[in-house]
Amino acid sequence: MLDRRSLLRTGGVAAAGALVAAAASPPSFAAAAAPKFLPLPGCHYAADSDPHAGVTRVVLQDHPSPAAGWKAVQARVEIPAHKESGRHSHPGVEIGYVVSGEVLMVYDDRAPLRLRAGDPFFTPNGVVHNARNVGTGEVMIVSSYVVDETKPLVTYLTDDATGEGASARQSAAPCPTG
């Protein structure tokens, strides 16, 4: 007969063994297509002087919307410490959630929002904004968009001394990842 102590002891050993076996075995599901990698803005990853270096947007889902001419997109955006996304807009609404870090969402037409992990935000259609990492670690944001299917998800605007503008930094095509 098993008492509670024996059951817990053997149950813990069995659970640990199952964890080790699961970690060592390859996944049993079919590999999904790799998410589409869209760097922000352009392919600047090395220079620390670049305020956008290392910022990435990975499209997680991209589906037609029930409304004709629109699509639903979900993406994960990662912004390294002391970097920013760059001034940009979307051809539809953005509904976002800060997964980790601290970000200052600077809008062209309203007061900035200081957001922390767990905070949601909403950006209306076409509103120009810039997500600045004001914390000490990486910021991760998951955003869902309902956008015009004929336009790129992101249009960048001139925001630095080089004058590099939207035409040079639209995220319609991913940069090579090396």
Side-chain angles (χ1 to χ4, degrees):
M1 181 165 153
L2 289 173
D3 63 0
R4 190 174 76 160
R5 180 174 288 146
S6 299
L7 183 59
L8 288 174
R9 190 176 307 135
T10 57
V13 169
L19 257 175
V20 169
S25 64
S28 59
F29 54 87
K36 187 176 178 184
F37 172 75
L38 297 174
L40 296 180
C43 297
H44 309 292
Y45 299 119
D48 277 343
S49 62
D50 182 354
H52 317 294
V55 178
T56 59
R57 173 178 279 110
V58 177
V59 174
L60 304 171
Q61 301 184 68
D62 189 330
H63 300 283
S65 169
W70 295 86
K71 66 179 180 175
V73 179
Q74 188 174 56
R76 181 183 68 237
V77 178
E78 296 176 0
I79 306 171
H82 313 295
K83 301 295 180 177
E84 58 188 51
S85 65
R87 290 178 61 243
H88 65 281
S89 65
H90 307 284
V93 298
E94 175 182 11
I95 303 162
Y97 178 79
V98 180
V99 176
S100 63
E102 189 172 349
V103 65
L104 184 66
M105 195 69 69
V106 180
Y107 296 96
D108 276 11
D109 68 345
R110 65 195 70 196
L113 287 176
R114 189 176 197 101
L115 303 165
R116 293 175 178 83
D119 288 341
F121 64 93
F122 177 83
T123 305
N125 183 3
V127 171
V128 176
H129 56 288
N130 183 13
R132 290 184 182 153
N133 183 338
V134 293
T136 56
E138 182 176 73
V139 164
M140 182 186 297
I141 297 171
V142 173
S143 287
S144 297
Y145 309 85
V146 178
V147 292
D148 182 332
E149 67 184 5
T150 65
K151 297 180 180 174
L153 177 61
V154 181
T155 299
Y156 294 98
L157 292 108
T158 301
D159 63 352
D160 54 29
T162 67
E164 186 177 29
S167 62
R169 293 196 270 166
Q170 289 190 353
S171 66
C175 288
T177 58

